[in-house]
């Protein structure tokens, strides 16, 4: 008899959750109610790859209002990144280590971005330094609203994938 990996054990746990608990777990990963309900409804998943494929397909098929719902749950980039153990803090660790001038420029860019697009600037920050994030923020300020929403949704899809993997890999 082969022993199950942690990911396989966690997938079994997830597949066996009552529907409302599965949705709650998924809402912690991605704050779109429609996404969470649709991904939970696809259970049981035979493996992690099938779950990730479904999660990605569901995200891509959502409406802009669903994306905005998920974006609204995110903190501004640079407002987390310290010792807090939550996902946003871990993901933004590179910003937490930045100098004061870069942090101030990110804060200023965040404000300009929100005035322009009416949602937070979102980037998959894990593994990125503050200067790279700032350069991305400045470049994306040149997008039109529809393009930027698609770009932010793509970044959110990457974040969701990482968080889903963490949920099921333990």
């Amino acid at each position: 008899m082969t022993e199950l990996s942690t990911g396989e054990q966690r997938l079994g746990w997830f597949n066996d959750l009552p529907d409302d608990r599965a949705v709650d777990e998924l809402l912690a990963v991605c704050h779109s109610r429609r996404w969470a309900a649709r991904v939970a409804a696809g259970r049981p998943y035979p493996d992690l790859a099938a779950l990730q494929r479904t999660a990605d397909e569901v995200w891509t098929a959502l409406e802009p209002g669903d994306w905005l719902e998920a974006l609204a749950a995110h903190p501004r980039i640079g407002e987390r990144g310290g010792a807090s153990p939550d996902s946003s803090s871990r993901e933004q660790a590179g910003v937490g280590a930045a100098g004061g001038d870069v942090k101030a420029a990110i804060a200023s860019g965040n404000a300009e971005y929100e005035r322009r697009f009416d949602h937070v600037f979102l980037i998959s920050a894990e593994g990125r330094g503050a200067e790279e994030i700032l350069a991305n923020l400045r470049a994306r300020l040149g997008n039109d609203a529809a393009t930027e929403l698609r770009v932010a949704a793509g970044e959110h899809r990457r974040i969701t994938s990482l968080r889903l993997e963490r949920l099921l890999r333990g």
Side-chain angles (χ1 to χ4, degrees), residues 28 80 84-92 126 159 163 166:
R80 301 256 177 108
S84 173
D86 75 354
S87 291
S88 295
S89 295
R90 273 195 312 273
E91 293 160 0
Q92 294 188 32
E126 195 163 304
I159 292 166
R163 288 180 177 181
R166 271 197 299 266

Side-chain angles (χ1 to χ4, degrees), residues 72-165:
H74 280 271
R76 286 176 188 90
I77 198 85
E79 289 188 358
R80 301 256 177 108
S84 173
D86 75 354
S87 291
S88 295
S89 295
R90 273 195 312 273
E91 293 160 0
Q92 294 188 32
V95 177
D101 56 336
V102 174
K103 286 181 182 177
I106 289 173
S108 174
N110 280 337
E112 182 179 350
Y113 182 96
E114 288 177 36
R115 279 191 302 276
R116 179 154 165 65
F117 299 115
D118 203 29
H119 60 80
V120 298
F121 170 71
L122 189 69
I123 187 169
S124 180
E126 195 163 304
R128 290 184 169 166
E131 291 81 8
E132 180 183 357
I133 291 169
L134 177 59
N136 236 286
L137 171 57
R138 288 176 172 158
R140 286 173 48 191
L141 280 166
N143 288 339
D144 64 81
T147 298
E148 183 52 31
L149 181 56
R150 285 190 304 275
V151 171
E155 292 293 326
H156 198 294
R157 183 183 51 77
R158 284 187 271 292
I159 292 166
T160 297
S161 180
L162 291 169
R163 288 180 177 181
L164 188 57
E165 185 174 326

